[in-house]
């Protein structure tokens, strides 16, 4: 048997390839939309991908199961659990198998047994893996999807928060309690292979380790320590992070089936500033992917700055309007990777691109904003000469914030611009200065020009000033 781990750090998403080396067959568990890494690996190993397995309808990325099926004629193994609202659609052109609790199927000499593990979502299933050629039918491990993470479990509130299922969070938490009881009956030696690691919004705080064991999770995972059902439900629902707007879109795309990558629009190249200005006037969205310092020192008016780093898919998913055309300004060598990242969260309406340094050099009237340290701005804050806009998460805000600040989490900022007063300079602030820089670009792109970014954010403010820090 062969097991290969793939991790997309921009989505904190883990997928897996299992291969039977005796028969040369392989399958992918929870595949990402960019299927080239799987294909390239199998070419090197002499394997043929015959299947794609999904633990549930994902909300945080576009699944690659249909890409694999279309390209390689592989079979899709998907859940048939849950009610009619949680059934996959548009499967008529695909080779697929619907799975229920207790079902079993094979990939070569590898046996996969299905466990229904609802709680994160109603249709969630886990896959127990057995290599029948070496261990007399004893399972090796379990692919848990978004059910059990390292040190955490899947959140139960997505249905209520993105799908409008009023009052469903507590029911889902109860289902999770029952699923955890079943999980704890598995042998301690089983490996646990989750679909996410640290940084995913599908749980409160998934661990950074790539795998675990049932025994380790039973001993150290907080959720495994609570025996009282109501106490478990209360603890699970408390303190869950904000749900990115794009999660609703991802659920829909993965349910009905996304457009195949080969059928997406061919990209246009933007070579002139006049063309770029016309696009901005036409309400197109222009993303400048440079780092925040370069953007602050000179950028084209009307563009927003979302740096191309590991948080890029998350923030484009939060901030980009999926119904409007998107253009990206980037370094030439980043084009392929930027497109993969955008498409991984379903932003398929990417019409064109431009090489940012060339276009910026051609622009005579660039826009800028100031980056300022806490000590440099402290006096203005004490004299009430600036407004402070805190764009951190709600939990960060509640743990402590600068006195007099207004809180609008970055992801919802474009929808709440009317709440911002503009009769004084606006000091935008986060924890470190990165999210606030994105926020500053959003304000300027929407006509609020007098903005300042706090370097080092709240962390540096506390360290250097130790003043005007409130908590609640």
């Amino acid at each position: 048997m062969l097991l290969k781990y793939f991790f997309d750090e921009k989505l904190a998403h883990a997928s897996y390839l299992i291969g039977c080396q005796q028969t040369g067959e392989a399958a992918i568990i929870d595949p990402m939309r960019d299927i080239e890494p799987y294909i390239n690996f199998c070419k090197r190993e002499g394997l043929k991908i015959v299947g794609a397995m999904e633990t549930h309808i994902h909300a945080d990325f576009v699944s690659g199961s249909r890409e694999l099926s279309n390209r390689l004629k592989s079979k899709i193994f998907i859940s048939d659990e849950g009610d009619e609202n949680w059934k996959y659609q548009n499967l008529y052109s695909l080779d697929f198998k619907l799975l229920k609790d207790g079902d079993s199927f094979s990939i070569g000499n590898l046996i996969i047994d299905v466990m229904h593990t609802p709680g994160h979502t109603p249709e969630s299933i886990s896959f127990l893996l057995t290599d029948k050629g070496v261990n007399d039918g004893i399972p090796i491990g379990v692919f848990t999807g978004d059910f059990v993470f390292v040190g955490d479990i899947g959140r139960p509130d997505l249905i209520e928060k993105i799908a409008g299922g009023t009052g469903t969070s507590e029911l889902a938490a109860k289902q999770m309690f029952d699923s955890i009881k079943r999980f704890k009956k598995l042998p301690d030696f089983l490996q646990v292979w989750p679909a996410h690691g640290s940084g995913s919004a599908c749980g409160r705080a998934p661990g950074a380790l790539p795998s675990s064991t049932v025994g380790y999770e039973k001993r150290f995972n907080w959720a495994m320590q609570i025996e009282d059902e109501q106490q478990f439900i209360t603890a699970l629902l408390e303190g869950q992070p904000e749900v990115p707007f794009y999660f609703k879109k991802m659920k829909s795309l993965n349910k009905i089936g996304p457009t195949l990558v080969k059928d997406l629009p061919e990209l246009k190249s933007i070579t002139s500033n006049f063309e770029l200005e016309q696009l901005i006037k036409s309400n197109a969205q222009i993303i400048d992917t440079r780092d925040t310092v370069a953007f602050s020192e000179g950028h084209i008016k009307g563009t927003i700055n979302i740096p191309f780093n590991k948080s890029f898919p998350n923030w484009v998913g939060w901030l980009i309007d999926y119904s409007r055309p998107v253009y990206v300004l980037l370094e030439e060598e980043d084009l392929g990777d930027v497109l993969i990242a955008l498409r991984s969260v379903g932003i398929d309406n990417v019409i064109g691109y431009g090489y940012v340094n060339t276009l910026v050099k051609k622009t005579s009237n660039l826009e800028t904003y100031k980056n300022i340290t806490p000590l440099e701005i402290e006096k203005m804050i004490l004299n009430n000469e600036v407004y402070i806009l805190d764009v951190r998460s709600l939990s960060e805000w509640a743990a402590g914030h600068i006195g007099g600040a207004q809180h609008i989490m970055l992801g919802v900022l474009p929808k709440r611009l009317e709440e911002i007063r503009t009769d004084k300079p606006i000091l935008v602030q986060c924890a470190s200065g990165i999210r606030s820089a994105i926020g500053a670009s959003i304000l300027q792109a929407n006509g609020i020009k007098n903005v300042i970014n706090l370097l080092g954010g709240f962390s540096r403010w506390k360290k250097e000033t130790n003043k005007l820090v409130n908590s609640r």
Side-chain angles (χ1 to χ4, degrees), residues 93-256:
S93 63
L94 305 171
D95 182 9
F96 65 93
K97 180 177 177 64
L98 297 177
L99 303 172
K100 293 280 194 181
D101 184 65
D103 284 349
S104 181
F105 60 95
S106 301
I107 303 294
N109 290 321
L110 307 179
I111 307 299
I112 294 90
D113 293 302
V114 179
M115 288 177 57
H116 183 212
T117 50
H120 177 63
T121 59
E123 83 291 357
S124 174
I125 54 178
S126 297
F127 298 114
L128 279 164
L129 173 65
T130 301
D131 185 349
K132 69 179 182 181
V134 298
N135 57 8
D136 198 28
I138 299 173
I140 300 168
V142 56
F143 297 99
T144 54
D146 292 13
F147 164 40
V148 173
F149 302 124
V150 177
D152 198 11
I153 59 174
R155 62 191 301 171
D157 58 331
L158 291 183
I159 301 173
E160 187 162 342
K161 292 179 178 175
I162 70 174
T166 305
T168 59
S169 294
E170 186 160 335
L171 174 60
K174 184 182 185 307
Q175 291 175 329
M176 182 64 83
F177 182 76
D178 293 335
S179 294
I180 290 294
K181 287 197 296 184
R182 187 177 183 190
F183 174 87
K184 289 162 72 172
K185 294 178 182 178
L186 295 173
D188 284 0
F189 61 79
L190 284 187
Q191 292 283 310
V192 174
W193 299 303
H196 291 294
S198 178
S200 171
C202 291
R204 186 186 293 125
L209 294 175
S211 65
S212 183
T213 65
V214 170
Y216 187 90
E217 294 308 308
K218 284 162 65 174
R219 183 167 182 179
F220 295 108
N221 189 316
W222 70 267
M224 310 284 173
Q225 315 310 312
I226 304 176
E227 299 295 336
D228 179 78
E229 181 179 81
Q230 190 54 53
Q231 183 184 352
F232 174 90
I233 291 171
T234 301
L236 181 55
L237 293 177
E238 190 174 57
Q240 291 290 352
E242 292 92 341
V243 179
F245 289 143
Y246 72 95
F247 273 27
K248 183 175 183 178
K249 179 71 173 179
M250 295 306 93
K251 275 286 185 187
S252 176
L253 278 178
N254 287 322
K255 179 179 177 179
I256 66 176

Side-chain angles (χ1 to χ4, degrees), residues 380-436:
M380 291 182 68
I381 291 176
L382 292 172
N383 292 335
N384 198 29
E385 295 173 359
V386 294
Y387 290 117
I388 306 168
L389 176 63
D390 188 328
V391 297
R392 296 176 300 158
S393 68
L394 183 59
S395 61
E396 291 174 295
W397 164 266
H401 53 270
I402 301 174
Q406 178 184 13
H407 178 247
I408 302 178
M409 186 262 185
L410 175 61
V412 302
L413 182 59
K415 300 180 183 298
R416 296 177 60 183
L417 294 171
E418 71 284 352
E419 300 176 32
I420 299 172
R421 293 177 61 181
T422 58
D423 54 325
K424 294 179 185 178
I426 300 167
L427 178 69
V428 193
Q429 165 256 310
C430 65
S432 66
I434 303 299
R435 284 173 289 174
S436 54

Side-chain angles (χ1 to χ4, degrees), residues 64-74 76 94 260 262-263:
S65 293
R66 299 183 194 234
E67 288 286 334
L68 286 166
S69 179
N70 177 265
R71 178 102 162 256
L72 305 177
K73 308 306 179 187
S74 57
I76 299 178
L94 305 171
L260 295 171
K262 68 180 181 64
D263 296 328

Side-chain angles (χ1 to χ4, degrees), residues 25-97:
E25 296 170 291
I28 315 298
I29 297 90
D30 291 327
M32 55 191 170
R33 194 178 194 183
D34 176 25
I35 63 174
E36 295 303 323
Y38 310 127
I39 293 173
N40 293 336
F41 178 80
C42 285
K43 284 181 180 178
R44 294 194 300 269
E45 296 294 326
L47 296 171
K48 178 183 179 182
I49 298 174
V50 299
M53 301 149 55
E54 294 195 11
T55 54
H56 64 295
I57 302 173
H58 293 280
D60 58 314
F61 68 95
V62 179
S63 169
S65 293
R66 299 183 194 234
E67 288 286 334
L68 286 166
S69 179
N70 177 265
R71 178 102 162 256
L72 305 177
K73 308 306 179 187
S74 57
K75 192 166 191 170
I76 299 178
F77 298 88
I78 49 178
S79 176
D80 194 30
E81 296 286 359
D83 61 29
E84 66 278 1
N85 296 314
W86 297 94
K87 303 296 185 184
Y88 290 82
Q89 298 177 4
N90 301 321
L91 300 171
Y92 47 85
S93 63
L94 305 171
D95 182 9
F96 65 93
K97 180 177 177 64

